[in-house]
Structures are given as structure tokens and as C-alpha cells.
Amino acid sequence: MVVSSVVTLLALGFCASLVLAVASRLLYVKEDPRIAELAEMLPGANCGGCGYAGCEAYAVAVLNDADVSPSLCVAGGREVSDAVAALSGKAAGSAEPNIAFRRCERLEGNVAPRYVYRGIGTCAAAAAVDNGPFQCSWSCLGLGDCEKACPFGALHMIGTLAVVDPETCTGCGVCVRTCPRQVLELIPKKGRVRIHCATRAKMKAVKDVCGVGCISCARCVKKCPAKALSLDSGRLELDHEACLAYGPSCGEVCTQECPRKILRAY
Amino acid sequence: MNYAALFVSAIFVNNIVLAQYLGQCPYVGCSKEKGVAFGMGTAVVFVIFMATGITWLFQTYVLNPFNLGYLQTIAFILVIAALVQFVEMFLKKVIPPLYRSLGIFLPLITTNCAVLGVAVLVQRKEYDLITSLLYALFTSLGFLLALMLMSGIRERLETVRAPRAMRGTPTALIMAGIMSLAFLAFKGMIE
């Protein structure tokens, strides 16, 4: 009985392995070996900053599609985009390093709470309750959805505001997509001027609740020599490319003109 | 036993997870999101159906003629593992979209007890091939049902403020017990 069972199982195992060996030859799927190599090179955080589902999906796309740029990986920066370009045989573009920036100074502006929020501890939930617990309905909610979402640990809640660590932030944009208030924004790392308010509210409504909110006076828009500033349905927007292209003196006028000092030079 | 009775029996009365307590691992492990649960469920349906068919043939034409019935368990494991490996390769080559949706789940359930359990149960019940395949299909659909119910409830429970120690798996285990009790109500309806 021992012999027969050992022999039977050996024979069975042999048959099974033979079938699998033949099958692995016949059903072999040719995969581009560069895909694995490329996936290895990418940061592997699957942050989605490139616009694909993950690092592997981007690796497949960049090798198979001639129109996909090798410099989409914002998290990897220059080094990775050069390596990807070399491997995929495409011209290296320059991945302009971006950084996330919080357009809110709720603490500095002394924005008062409207009610005490005691619900689910996420910004998304708090934002859904009557426009959030603050007088300003455009402010940072301070419950840290972005901190939890950041795949690189570059965001921290200090006090009740999200603070971006410029050293570790890779500009992947996960936090920007997570924030229910669009308080976070991606800007070029070398941008000269940053807007410290994200409100779309009207002048009086802002002045009543916040000491440093944008009151849409549009002085900066009119004075900007590069025409880089604009009011987009009540919210101040800065075209960083136009601002940087203008020259080194750009960033002086608007920061001086702003009566609320929400435009600050860096 | 007619097929309609088999259908009700395999899915509700003798549900493989909630009444026979097989396949608990994917039931708790893969029920956090509905999408994942559906992928796992369909992979289980697929594997149980194929594994039962091949082990039935194996039992009838190899083990029984040579009086090797005592090797059933270990031989079935071997056959099922080889089958799943083969199916995985086959899908990758011939039906890539199906491979992408089932791919990661297939190796996970190769030696799952629900898969082996159904293969052994149809032998104990001495079903013929057609009845075995139908039993396998219905039972695995019962598994899919249990998994989808569980993942639906767990998705809703995500937003509930449970005590920290009870979040995740502990709650899932309690719910598995309650669901099992609920399915106990079907007992005696049909054998």
C-alpha cells in the first residue's frame, strides 16, 4: 500500500508537471522585458500623478504608445524621466518639478468656527455638513484627508492646517485630488508668487470672516505686467508660466499692490 | 432530487460559507470592497466548477478502477493545483481580459478548502457528472452571494465609528456569525 501510493502520486505529479511544462511552452506569452525593468525604475508608489492607474500601467503605456511622454512621472523627477527616456528611446522632456501648496491662512486670518463638528473625522464628511464648520466655506478643514492620502508622507497637520514639506513633496497631486475644498494646488517649485487664499466668496463676505482673505479687488490683476493674474469665477488664479516668462522683476508689483497681503513672493 | 431543489439547497440551505463553514479565508479576507469581492467570487465559481468536473472524472476513471480511493484527498489537491496553473496560463494566452480580471485571484484559491470541499462532497453524495457540475455551480454561486452580501455590509460599516479595537476583521467575524445565524432560518426547508 505504501509503495503503490508513493508510485501513484509520483506518477500523478510527473504527469501534472509534464502537462504544465508543455503548456508553459505552448501558451507562452511574450512580454516586453523592458516593462519589468521600467517598473523597477519608477518610484513604485502608484500615486497616479502621471495619469495612469499605477507605475506598471504607465510603464506599459510609455513603451507601447509613441505619444506618451517619458517625463510624466512627476514623483520621480528629472532622474527617472531621463532613465525612462533612455529605455523607451524617446526624447527626454523636462519634468518641471511641481509642489503642492495650501491656499489658505485660516489661522492667520482668525477665521472663527460656526459650529463644533463632531462627526466622522474626515474633511470630506465635514465639508458635507452645511459647508463645513468654519465661517469661511473655502478654508482648509484641517481634518487631514490630504495627510492620509499622501503616498510620500510629505503632508502633515500642524495645528489644524495642512503643511507641505517642500523637501519630500514630489508634486504627484494625490492630495490635490483628495481635498474636498480645492484648497491645495499644484504649482511649479520655482514659482515666484503664491496665492494664499482659495476663496470664491464676495468682498464683504470675505472681509467679515477672515483677516487675510482675497476680497477680489482685482488690483493685482490690473497691475500685473505679465498679465498672469486673473479672476476665475471669483477665485484668483495665477498663470505661473507667464509669470516666470516675464522676467526676474515679476512678482514685485502684485505683492506690493495686494491690500490683504495674500500674494507673497518666494 | 430535482435540480430546482438542488439549486435552493446549495445556495441557501446548505450555503458553503454560512452553513458548511468552508472558504472562510477569502470570505473575510476579500470582502472589504465590492469590486474585489466580485472578482474573487467569480474566480471561485470558475475554479470550483472546473475542479469538480476534473476531479469527478479523475475519481471515476483513475482512482476507482485501481482501488486507490484512500488517496482521494492528496490526489485531488495535486490535480486541482495543476488544473488552476494550467487554466491561468491558458487564460493569459487566449483570453487576456478575463486573465486580467481573475488573474490575481486564481492562484490564491488553488488549495482553498471550499474548492476541495465541493470536489470531495460530490463523491460522498455519489452524484453523477451532470449533477456534480450543477452542484458545483450552485454552491459556488452561493459563495459569491455570501461574499457580495458581506462586502456590501462591510462597505457601509466603514463609515461607522466603531471602537478602534473592533474595526476591520473583528467586526467582520461578528457579522459572519450573525449572517450565519440568519441563514440558519433556511434549515429544514429542504434537505
Side-chain angles (χ1 to χ4, degrees), chain A residues 249-260:
Chain A
S249 71
C250 199
E252 286 171 8
V253 183
C254 55
T255 49
Q256 278 161 21
E257 279 298 320
C258 182
R260 310 283 283 175

Side-chain angles (χ1 to χ4, degrees), chain B residues 19-53:
Chain B
Q20 304 190 57
Y21 313 115
L22 291 173
Q24 297 290 330
C25 172
Y27 177 60
V28 175
C30 285
S31 58
K32 285 200 192 76
E33 287 167 43
K34 264 186 244 159
V36 176
F38 188 74
M40 187 68 185
T42 41
V44 169
V45 173
F46 192 72
V47 170
I48 288 189
F49 186 75
M50 298 204 54
T52 307

